Amino acid sequence: ITLAAIYSAQEKFQEELDTYKEILKECEKNKDTLHMCIIYANMGAVYGSLKDYDRSLELFLKSEELAKITGNNWLLGNAYSNIGLIYQKVEDYEKALDYFYKGLEYKQKENDPYEMVISYLYLGNCYGFLDKQNTSLNYLLKAYDLADEINSLQLLLKVLDPLSKAYNKLGNFKKALLYHIEFKEINDSIFNEGKTEEITRLKMQYDFDKQFQIQKHEQKRTEALDKAEIKHQVDLRNAFITAFAFMLILAIFLIRSY
């Protein structure tokens, strides 16, 4: 799964799918329903990224079936939300809402605030597509309040942009501007934090590369010294053999002279 995540980050979708298919074979062999459910969901998300919504929906429905077998509320909540997202992509908003509500129900059973924020956001966005701005605003504010309560900047960032746009559509430009400013501030904060992390990563990489080059240079120097020592030993041996041969020839010559 880690390898698949790396391919996902690199947007190598075919490699990611191939990896999931290999993992799925092992899961099926071991009758590992829980991980099969997760793999089908991940594959569905990949096909969603590829805009193959029919295949994506098919896989998400398989994930839903397996989630029901496991009885895991978190898996069921996410399965319903995933299906809702596909219906939203194909502009079947009423079906999307049905699944978003189902997803929220199971996430509330788990009392998972992070996932509940996501469900409120999905509902808010979907009502926005239906141009039901007041209902959309209601769910977006729920998402905002809960994200703020758990102090999640990443979730606030997801909520603030649609929240600002909802107020703008309702003609409340003052609040639209306030939420847009907050969005920019958090976005800049996360960007700067990410930039600091990137600088730290690059410095660590530089130090590593520098150390590697030093070690490589030292290894080459050692190898050169070893070669020089070996050559010296070979030269000494050859000199000894040559001297010994000369002495032997000289001895034979002297013997014959007598």
Side-chain angles (χ1 to χ4, degrees), residues 11 41 77 89 91 95 99 122 136 156 178 221 248-249:
E11 295 189 355
K89 287 286 187 183
E91 300 182 6
K95 270 192 178 180
Y99 279 100
Y122 288 164
S136 170
L156 282 169
L178 286 172
R221 193 175 74 85
L248 184 61
I249 292 168

Side-chain angles (χ1 to χ4, degrees), residues 37-199:
C37 173
I38 295 169
I39 297 302
Y40 277 126
N42 289 347
M43 290 174 70
V46 176
Y47 279 106
S49 297
L50 293 169
K51 295 182 171 37
D52 186 345
Y53 299 128
D54 289 339
R55 182 61 175 147
S56 180
L57 181 60
E58 180 186 339
L59 290 164
F60 282 147
L61 288 170
K62 283 186 178 181
S63 179
E64 178 204 354
E65 290 172 12
L66 293 167
K68 286 177 179 176
I69 294 170
T70 66
N72 186 304
N73 289 332
W74 186 88
L75 288 176
L76 266 170
N78 278 281
Y80 289 132
S81 292
N82 287 334
I83 294 167
L85 284 172
I86 296 302
Y87 280 121
Q88 181 172 282
K89 287 286 187 183
V90 298
E91 300 182 6
D92 191 340
Y93 299 121
E94 294 299 334
K95 270 192 178 180
L97 284 173
D98 286 342
Y99 279 100
F100 287 149
Y101 277 119
K102 285 180 181 179
L104 176 61
E105 178 188 346
Y106 282 94
K107 291 173 184 181
Q108 286 172 330
K109 286 180 181 179
E110 284 295 294
N111 195 26
D112 185 337
Y114 185 96
E115 290 296 335
M116 286 163 63
V117 171
I118 298 295
S119 282
Y120 288 140
L121 177 61
Y122 288 164
L123 286 162
N125 286 338
C126 198
Y127 276 113
F129 287 126
L130 288 167
D131 203 26
K132 295 181 179 180
Q133 299 306 328
N134 285 312
T135 308
S136 170
L137 185 62
N138 177 48
Y139 281 109
L140 291 173
L141 285 170
K142 284 185 177 183
Y144 175 85
D145 290 341
L146 190 51
D148 188 49
E149 184 182 322
I150 63 176
N151 196 30
S152 172
L153 293 181
Q154 294 288 351
L155 285 176
L156 282 169
L157 196 64
K158 289 178 183 290
V159 175
L160 281 164
D161 187 46
L163 187 55
S164 173
K165 288 175 179 175
Y167 272 117
N168 189 62
K169 285 179 181 177
L170 288 168
N172 192 335
F173 304 118
K174 184 179 178 180
K175 282 198 172 182
L177 180 60
L178 286 172
Y179 283 116
H180 179 70
I181 291 170
E182 187 177 355
F183 169 81
K184 290 292 292 179
E185 287 174 347
I186 292 175
N187 187 56
D188 290 345
S189 171
I190 291 174
F191 174 77
N192 289 332
E193 184 181 327
K195 197 172 180 181
T196 302
E197 289 175 357
E198 180 64 11
I199 290 169

